[in-house]
Every structure is written in C-alpha cells, then in structure tokens.
C-alpha cells in the first residue's frame, strides 16, 4: 500500500512513524483517534470505521466540509493558491479576516491557505483565540489536490467530532481500538516547561491520559496505543503498558547542533483478558 500524505503540514505529524504504528495497532472494527491532528494514521490504516476527534474546531470543521462537499471545497481552495496571494500583505489580510469571522466556509478555506503559505505550517492561536502564525515567504506553496481527494474519499468511513479526549474515550465501545497522539511530554521538566505548557497539555494531563487509557483496557477491554517521547517520565506514566521503542532516524546537519531527535515510545495498553 502506497504511503499517503496528509494534506495539511503538521508539527508532530506521524507520517514518518506510520509503519511502526501499524505494526503495534491491534485489529478491530473501528479506530478511534482522540488527537487526530493531520490524520496520517487514519490515512494509512484500514479499519471499517473511524471516530476522529480533536479539540481544534477549525480542523474538525474543515474535515467535515471536505467530507460533505469535496468538489466544492477543493475547487474553492484551489483558487487561493495563485502567485498574487503569496505576499505578506495578502496573507496578513486573510489572517485578520479569519480572526474576525465565524463563517465556517471562509475559515476552512483560509485555514488551508494559511497552513501552506504561513511559516512552517504551524497552527497557533493567541490567548484570545486569534490565529497568529507569521507569513512563510515560500517560493511556490504546494496545492495538495491529490491529498485532499484521497482524504475526502476515505472520510466516507469516518465521523469527525470536536471534543476533549475524555469525551472521546467515553463514547468508545468494545470492538474499537484507540490510538492517542497527544502533545508530547517535555524532554526535561525544567528546560521546556514554560513554552510547553503553552499547548494547554500539562504534565497532569499526560498522567490523566495514561490513567484513562489503562482503565479503558483493563475495565472495558478496549486496547489503547499511545505515542510519546521516550523519557523517564513517560516510562513511569505508562508502566502498565507494553513499551516499544521506535528508533527515530537522526538527521545529521552540518552546523553540528544537528536535529538530535529522541527515540519515541509506543505504549500499548492491552485488555487484561488478552492471552
């Protein structure tokens, strides 16, 4: 099966880990993802049904529009990808309009435009809920037409909901498999703490998620796979799970500082009746 790319650029996207995740994901009728993000795992697995959740309403609204009216969304969004829109002034005017409107279609089109024309494909909001990613200055941003079409087609098997992971766990039934890709734990509790808390997912949340996952497996017979950094903290949090270490390919860069990537942990909480 050809590996499918998500149509959104996404920090922490799982495209590079897809094969490892496939290897450890148990079988089931439905895959539930409480932190769907750009959807690489959804796009590269084959379940009968999917329940895909995220707390970002812009993301879920876009997915639902693309699912319900793919032709319209794709043709409308394509019109934004022209050279005259690749200017800082235009980008900032779209961003300002996006921040001032509740119109779902406009926000969904602007979201994809800003994802591709903004800096590094970041998705970031300020305290007041305003999108605040700066202009990216890329030569010719790519319009992900084939990726949008593939996503829209596969979305026929999916239900997209905007809710917290605890709500998603609550509505998950036996026969389903859960894959969690939470915002990653900091590599050291001190070094990264302030910036890290900014994503709203605290150390308490990391612990609460591990707890909910373990309970789902032990009490409700629902297997849960979680990915995270491999650290002392995450190993302690997931002590009730089967821990699999995924060696992340290290990118050696010329400036010596390098992108020194840390290994990833795939923690699988299996139902206790599993022999």
């Amino acid at each position: 099966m050809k590996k499918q790319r998500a149509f959104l650029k996404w920090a922490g996207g799982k495209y590079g880990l897809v094969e490892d995740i496939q290897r450890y994901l148990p079988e089931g009728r439905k895959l539930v993802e409480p932190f769907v993000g750009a959807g690489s795992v959804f796009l590269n697995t084959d379940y009968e049904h999917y329940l895909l959740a995220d707390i970002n309403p812009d993301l879920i609204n876009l997915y639902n529009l693309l699912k319900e009216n793919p032709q319209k969304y794709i043709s409308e969004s394509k019109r934004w990808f022209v050279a005259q829109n690749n200017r800082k002034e235009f980008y900032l005017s779209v961003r300002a309009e996006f921040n001032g409107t509740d119109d779902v279609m406009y926000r969904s089109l602007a979201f994809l435009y800003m994802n591709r024309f903004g800096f590094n494909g970041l998705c970031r909001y300020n305290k007041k809920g305003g999108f605040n990613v700066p202009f990216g200055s890329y030569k010719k941003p790519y319009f992900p037409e084939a990726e949008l079409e593939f996503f829209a087609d596969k979305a026929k098997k999916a239900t997209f909901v905007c809710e917290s992971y605890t709500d998603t766990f609550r509505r998950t039934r036996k026969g389903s498999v859960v894959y969690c890709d939470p915002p990653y734990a900091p590599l050291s509790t001190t070094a990264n703490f302030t910036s890290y808390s900014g994503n709203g997912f605290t150390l308490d949340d990391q612990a609460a998620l591990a707890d909910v996952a373990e309970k789902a497996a032990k009490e409700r017979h629902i297997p849960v796979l979680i990915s995270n950094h491999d650290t002392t903290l995450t190993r302690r949090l997931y002590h009730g799970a089967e821990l699999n270490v995924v060696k992340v390919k290290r990118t050696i860069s010329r400036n010596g500082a390098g992108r020194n990537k840390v290994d990833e942990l795939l923690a699988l909480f299996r139902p206790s009746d599993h022999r």
Side-chain angles (χ1 to χ4, degrees), residues 9-264:
K9 292 159 96 175
W10 208 253
K14 286 293 163 286
Y15 183 77
L17 275 187
V18 155
E19 292 90 346
D20 294 295
I21 292 165
Q22 286 168 339
R23 195 176 313 136
Y24 295 113
L25 263 179
E27 287 176 8
R29 281 198 315 278
K30 180 189 267 188
L31 180 67
V32 176
E33 290 195 60
F35 306 88
V36 67
S40 286
V41 173
F42 156 60
L43 294 168
N44 291 288
T45 48
D46 193 20
Y47 289 83
E48 284 170 51
H49 302 288
Y50 292 85
L51 172 62
L52 306 171
D54 203 280
I55 54 165
N56 182 337
D58 290 314
L59 188 67
I60 296 301
N61 285 338
L62 192 172
Y63 289 166
N64 277 319
L65 270 180
L66 183 57
K67 176 187 172 175
E68 286 148 25
N69 201 338
Q71 277 72 36
K72 183 181 182 194
Y73 182 81
I74 294 170
S75 62
E76 289 284 324
S77 57
K78 192 172 190 171
R79 291 162 46 186
W80 293 55
F81 282 67
V82 289
Q84 64 263 36
N85 291 354
N86 194 14
R87 301 189 326 269
K88 188 177 181 181
E89 308 73 47
F90 183 82
Y91 176 88
L92 294 177
S93 72
V94 168
R95 193 177 76 179
E97 186 158 348
F98 174 89
N99 286 334
T101 184
D102 292 329
D103 183 284
V104 169
M105 188 65 173
Y106 183 87
R107 285 183 74 94
S108 297
L109 293 165
F111 191 84
L112 176 60
Y113 163 81
M114 293 188 299
N115 178 264
R116 290 281 168 177
F117 287 74
F119 182 71
N120 254 354
L122 291 174
C123 180
R124 199 180 62 199
Y125 300 83
N126 61 25
K127 293 262 191 300
K128 294 189 181 122
F131 193 85
N132 65 359
V133 175
F135 180 60
S137 306
Y138 297 110
K139 209 173 196 151
K140 189 174 189 257
Y142 169 70
F143 179 62
E145 190 160 8
E147 291 85 344
L148 282 159
E149 285 169 354
F150 186 90
F151 192 104
D153 189 53
K154 182 127 193 202
K156 292 171 189 159
K157 298 166 118 185
T159 301
F160 298 100
V161 289
C162 182
E163 64 185 16
S164 69
Y165 76 86
T166 46
D167 288 340
T168 310
F169 264 96
R170 218 168 276 138
R171 65 155 99 198
T172 302
R173 299 287 170 261
K174 197 174 171 181
S176 298
V177 174
V178 181
Y179 168 62
C180 292
D181 180 29
Y184 275 19
L187 292 177
S188 84
T189 32
T190 47
N192 208 357
F193 198 68
T194 45
S195 63
Y196 159 74
S197 302
N199 65 24
F201 209 78
T202 62
L203 293 174
D204 285 343
D205 291 317
Q206 297 284 353
L209 173 63
D211 202 40
V212 167
E214 187 160 21
K215 284 202 169 98
K218 299 279 180 284
E219 295 169 13
R220 298 162 60 208
H221 308 288
I222 299 165
V224 183
L225 183 68
I226 307 183
S227 50
N228 214 320
H229 286 316
D230 183 7
T231 66
T232 313
L233 171 82
T234 53
R235 284 180 171 260
R236 196 163 284 174
L237 289 180
Y238 306 144
H239 65 90
E242 280 174 25
L243 300 181
N244 303 289
V245 178
V246 177
K247 290 279 175 211
V248 173
K249 292 184 190 68
R250 300 183 190 280
T251 352
I252 297 166
S253 74
R254 278 176 303 201
N255 64 14
R259 291 190 184 165
N260 212 2
K261 285 196 163 169
V262 69
D263 290 331
E264 306 249 348

